[in-house]
């Protein structure tokens, strides 16, 4: 059986059992691949003569770009031929720094066809970030939004430089790359284990790691993501995500096209929940994936007024608070199905279609993954660090960290890949997120889950977003402190703090009550994740802000 047939056989098992999670987990096995190039063996084969839309981009001003599978196959082959003529070789790093524009998908497909290594980057990177990527990522070629090209001034002049969206001094214009043949012949077969993608993780606590994926780990590995989202051929799938992050590859590239779905994008200069919801209604989006930040903005709108045609909703990136899920369910009659994975993996735990959803749970292990929880002694337990069994090794797991190959070697020697996240598991096998292993803390010897307290806080009408960290305490070692972003209409003063402390006292057990509140902004990574390391440091310094309030300041609470 060739690579394409093995891939399709595995995919079809998941489609056949799309609403029977137990049977899918039992019947599904990762395909054994020798040579495989997803863009040539799957995408181009599926695209031949296929005039259905593969990509649909809608601009806030009303302009639209719609391309079929066949058109995208041909255009990406033209780009691949031109890149090859410019000297792009198999195994060489190509830094791609583009917004959600048509050339992004063309370049990604082209690089996969060539066997080059894609290094996707967000437009938010600074010159120092880019210097780091050039040095550690082995970059030989650049494909960059024309407006971002000044950031590369003074950096390695030997790199091939291609600008997108207009000419730039010293750069080749992407517009000139479409003149060649509309078919592509590779110079050699692609090994399934060859490197294909290099991601710099967002680094909430440390310098970004270099996550290396292969021609099988992400393209084929995302069969688990297809199953979690519940994608079908002909779906119009909208994943609200920015290019440069792994979630974009998850649900704006591999998973939809593994199913034969159309990828939908709504582009605007600034995010507007109302405008985005209207686009979802007007264009008939059928499946939607959004991060918790977006879901929290959506529920501030009158959701019931938007008559959506959605069939499925999922959330990923960070855990979803139960209150958000509840509000969406009331408005649309649809349950947001949470899921879990990392840049290092595809979707590994999730609430798949047709399965009962438990409030606050991120679901059960997805097909292809044997997921366990390890306690502090490395023994399997009902609470502990989420880990993947490596015998057999799941196909959707990264090849390793390019800058630290010993880390994966150590994991394989121990028989587990450890995620660094902590969860609990109930009697029915459902997983409940607790927090990052280095975020969970103790207060008076009680284990405190920041995520649990944050989920509780956003149930209060004044709270838009919250982050909980330990604040040093001479008696209890540490007490929970919450940094809070307020919703519009609420003032960061004593009255709001008192209302919150009363809410906390009414609903939380004494041992895990939040004792300190501080109103203000939350420091975040460029991918939008809260930088808890910075908040922990700030709390440890115990510098008192004018918007900080302590429980003992309110005698009326006694």
């Amino acid at each position: 059986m060739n690579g394409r047939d093995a891939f399709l056989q595995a995919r079809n098992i998941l489609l056949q059992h799309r609403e029977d999670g137990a049977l899918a987990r039992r019947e599904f096995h990762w395909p054994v691949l020798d040579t495989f190039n997803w863009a040539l063996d799957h995408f181009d084969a599926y695209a031949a003569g296929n005039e259905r839309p593969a990509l649909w981009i809608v601009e806030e001003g009303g302009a639209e770009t719609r391309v079929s599978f066949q058109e995208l196959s041909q255009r990406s082959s033209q780009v691949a031929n031109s890149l090859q003529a410019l000297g792009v070789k198999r195994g060489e790093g190509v830094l791609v720094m583009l917004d959600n524009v048509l050339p992004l998908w063309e370049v990604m497909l082209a690089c996969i066809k060539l066997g080059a290594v894609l290094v996707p980057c967000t437009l938010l990177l600074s010159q120092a970030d880019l210097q780091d990527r050039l040095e550690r990522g082995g970059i030989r070629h650049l494909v960059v939004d024309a407006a971002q090209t000044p950031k590369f001034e003074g950096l390695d002049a030997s790199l091939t430089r291609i600008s997108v969206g207009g000419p730039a001094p010293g750069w080749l214009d992407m517009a000139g790359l479409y003149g060649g043949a509309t078919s592509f012949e590779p110079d050699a077969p692609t090994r399934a284990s060859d490197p294909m993608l290099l991601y710099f993780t967002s680094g909430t606590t440390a310098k970004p790691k270099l996550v290396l994926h292969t021609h099988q780990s992400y393209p084929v590995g995302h069969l688990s993501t297809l199953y979690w989202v519940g994608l079908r051929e002909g779906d119009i799938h909208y994943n609200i995500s920015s290019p440069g992050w792994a979630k974009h590859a998850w649900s704006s590239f591999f998973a939809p096209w593994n199913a034969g779905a159309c990828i939908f994008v709504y582009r605007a200069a600034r995010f507007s929940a109302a405008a985005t919801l209207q686009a979802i209604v007007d264009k008939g989006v059928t499946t939607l994936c959004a991060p918790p930040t977006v879901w929290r903005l959506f529920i501030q709108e009158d959701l019931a007024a938007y008559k959506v045609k959605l069939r499925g909703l999922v959330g990923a990136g960070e855990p979803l608070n139960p209150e958000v899920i509840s509000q969406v369910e009331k408005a649309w009659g649809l349950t947001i199905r949470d899921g879990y994975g990392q840049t290092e993996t595809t979707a590994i735990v999730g609430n798949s279609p047709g399965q009962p959803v438990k409030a606050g749970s991120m679901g059960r292990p997805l097909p292809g993954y044997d997921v366990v929880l390890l306690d502090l002694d490395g023994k399997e337990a009902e609470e502990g660090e989420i880990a993947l069994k490596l015998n057999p090794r799941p196909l959707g797991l990264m090849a390793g960290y390019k800058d630290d190959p010993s880390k994966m070697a150590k994991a394989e020697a121990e028989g587990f890949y450890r995620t660094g996240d902590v969860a609990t598991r109930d009697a029915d096998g459902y997983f409940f997120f607790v927090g990052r292993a280095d975020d969970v803390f103790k207060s008076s010897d009680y284990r405190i889950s920041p995520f649990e307290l944050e989920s509780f806080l956003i149930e209060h009408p004044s709270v838009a977003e919250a982050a909980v960290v330990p604040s040093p305490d001479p008696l209890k070692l540490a007490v929970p402190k919450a940094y809070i972003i307020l919703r519009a209409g609420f003032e960061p003063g004593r009255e709001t703090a008192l209302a919150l402390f009363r809410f906390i006292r009414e609903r939380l057990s004494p041992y895990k009550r939040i004792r300190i509140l501080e109103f203000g902004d939350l420091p975040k990574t460029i991918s939008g994740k809260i930088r808890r390391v910075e908040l922990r440091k700030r709390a440890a310094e115990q510098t008192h802000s004018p918007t900080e309030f302590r429980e003992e300041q309110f005698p009326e609470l006694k």
Side-chain angles (χ1 to χ4, degrees):
M1 187 183 298
N2 63 31
R4 179 171 183 266
D5 290 343
F7 168 74
L8 291 177
Q9 184 181 73
R11 184 200 67 171
N12 291 342
I13 287 170
L14 297 181
L15 296 178
Q16 182 183 347
H17 305 305
R18 69 170 80 248
E19 294 197 356
D20 189 335
L23 187 56
R25 282 191 293 273
R26 189 163 63 248
E27 296 291 324
F28 176 80
H29 300 284
W30 294 112
V32 178
L33 302 172
D34 179 21
T35 60
F36 186 70
N37 185 302
W38 181 85
L40 295 169
D41 298 333
H42 169 65
F43 187 88
D44 276 4
Y46 180 75
N50 189 340
E51 292 299 334
R52 288 191 305 100
L55 179 64
W56 185 6
I57 302 171
V58 175
E59 309 284 346
E60 63 179 332
E64 296 188 14
T65 301
R66 235 207 266 227
V67 289
S68 70
F69 280 96
Q70 178 163 287
E71 287 175 300
L72 205 44
S73 169
Q74 293 173 343
R75 289 174 66 89
S76 62
S77 288
Q78 288 178 312
V79 173
N81 285 318
S82 294
L83 290 176
Q84 191 175 57
L86 288 170
V88 178
K89 295 183 176 60
R90 186 176 294 274
E92 291 184 339
V94 181
L95 184 147
V96 180
M97 190 176 180
L98 299 175
D99 200 359
N100 277 319
V101 291
L102 174 58
L104 171 68
W105 282 270
E106 294 167 344
V107 169
M108 288 183 70
L109 285 167
C111 286
I112 295 171
K113 291 178 182 186
L114 281 164
V117 179
L118 280 162
V119 186
C121 292
T122 171
L123 301 181
L124 300 174
L125 295 181
S126 66
Q127 187 175 63
D129 295 326
L130 293 166
Q131 178 73 51
D132 176 55
R133 279 151 176 74
L134 297 186
E135 290 174 356
R136 294 199 291 143
I139 307 300
R140 298 304 313 142
H141 314 278
L142 307 173
V143 183
V144 176
D145 182 279
Q148 303 295 319
T149 56
K151 292 181 180 178
F152 292 83
E153 289 177 9
L155 302 183
D156 192 342
S158 69
L159 306 180
T160 308
R161 296 175 176 232
I162 300 167
S163 73
V164 176
W171 293 67
L172 297 167
D173 192 337
M174 175 83 180
L177 270 56
Y178 298 95
T182 57
S183 61
F184 177 78
E185 290 298 325
D187 58 2
T190 301
R191 314 298 304 182
S193 57
D194 283 350
M196 187 197 76
L197 263 169
L198 186 63
Y199 274 109
F200 284 68
T201 58
S202 55
T204 59
T205 59
K207 196 172 185 179
K209 299 187 290 287
L210 279 70
V211 176
L212 184 64
H213 279 285
T214 68
H215 282 267
Q216 59 186 358
S217 65
Y218 250 31
V220 184
H222 277 301
L223 288 176
S224 71
T225 309
L226 174 157
Y227 190 78
W228 164 55
V229 178
L231 289 162
R232 303 176 187 174
E233 188 174 44
D235 267 340
I236 300 171
H237 178 63
Y238 184 18
N239 169 49
I240 301 179
S241 177
S242 299
W245 306 114
K247 189 62 181 66
H248 192 274
W250 278 41
S251 297
S252 294
F253 198 78
F254 293 115
W257 285 344
N258 277 347
C262 172
I263 295 165
F264 177 82
V265 175
Y266 175 67
R267 294 187 70 224
R270 291 181 64 84
F271 180 81
S272 160
T276 303
L277 287 165
Q278 194 59 54
I280 289 167
V281 172
D282 293 344
K283 306 305 177 184
V285 172
T286 58
T287 51
L288 173 65
C289 179
T293 305
V294 169
W295 286 116
R296 286 193 285 267
L297 291 171
F298 278 170
I299 64 172
Q300 295 183 44
E301 302 293 322
D302 179 11
L303 282 186
Y306 294 92
K307 306 304 179 185
V308 296
K309 303 174 185 68
L310 291 159
R311 185 188 74 249
L313 308 175
V314 293
E318 288 185 335
L320 263 175
N321 308 93
E323 176 66 14
V324 175
I325 297 172
S326 173
Q327 289 196 39
V328 172
E329 199 163 26
K330 285 175 188 171
W332 288 344
L334 295 169
T335 301
I336 305 173
R337 294 179 288 100
D338 212 350
Y340 170 80
Q342 299 182 309
T343 301
E344 290 89 339
T345 69
T346 59
I348 63 178
V349 173
N351 290 289
S352 54
Q355 307 304 296
V357 175
K358 292 193 178 187
S361 172
M362 58 191 189
R364 291 179 284 191
L366 291 164
Y369 286 99
D370 193 349
V371 187
V372 297
L373 300 175
L374 300 178
D375 65 17
L376 294 175
D377 297 318
K379 306 294 185 187
E380 293 188 32
E382 298 307 304
E383 178 175 352
E385 185 177 1
I386 304 168
L388 305 179
K389 284 189 175 180
L390 297 182
N391 186 21
R393 194 182 198 279
L395 202 67
L397 177 61
M398 64 175 176
Y401 294 111
K402 184 180 178 182
D403 52 345
D404 188 6
S406 64
K407 191 165 185 176
M408 185 53 74
K410 183 174 182 285
E412 289 174 333
E414 294 174 349
F416 297 99
Y417 164 73
R418 292 171 173 266
T419 64
D421 291 316
V422 177
T424 61
R425 182 178 56 208
D426 71 8
D428 297 318
Y430 283 79
F431 284 70
F432 295 79
F433 186 82
V434 173
R436 287 294 296 172
D438 50 7
D439 287 340
V440 177
F441 63 93
K442 282 194 170 184
S443 177
S444 295
D445 211 36
Y446 291 104
R447 189 178 173 88
I448 304 294
S449 163
F451 176 67
E452 178 190 359
L453 297 181
E454 291 157 11
S455 296
F456 162 77
L457 280 171
I458 71 160
E459 292 180 27
H460 193 274
S462 69
V463 178
E465 199 167 357
V468 173
V469 296
S471 179
D473 183 86
L475 184 62
K476 298 180 179 180
L477 178 66
V479 294
K481 176 177 180 177
Y483 290 88
I484 291 172
I485 296 177
L486 293 171
R487 290 189 184 222
F490 291 90
E491 294 297 321
R494 191 180 192 280
E495 185 180 342
T496 304
L498 176 59
L500 279 166
F501 277 127
R502 281 182 169 149
F503 180 67
I504 290 163
R505 283 204 158 215
E506 289 167 6
R507 303 272 298 276
L508 286 180
S509 302
Y511 78 90
K512 57 183 175 184
R513 281 183 192 156
I514 297 152
R515 307 290 178 174
I516 310 169
L517 302 173
E518 185 172 328
F519 303 119
D521 209 353
L522 296 177
K524 295 185 177 182
T525 67
I526 50 178
S527 66
K529 292 182 180 178
I530 297 168
R531 280 192 55 81
R532 297 174 190 277
V533 64
E534 191 173 317
L535 292 177
R536 287 198 299 270
K537 183 180 177 184
R538 196 189 301 175
E541 291 170 351
Q542 295 189 301
T543 52
H544 302 301
S545 158
T547 58
E548 179 188 274
F549 297 90
R550 293 173 172 264
E551 189 182 45
E552 59 265 27
Q553 294 173 249
F554 297 85
E556 55 265 62
L557 291 171
K558 302 299 182 188

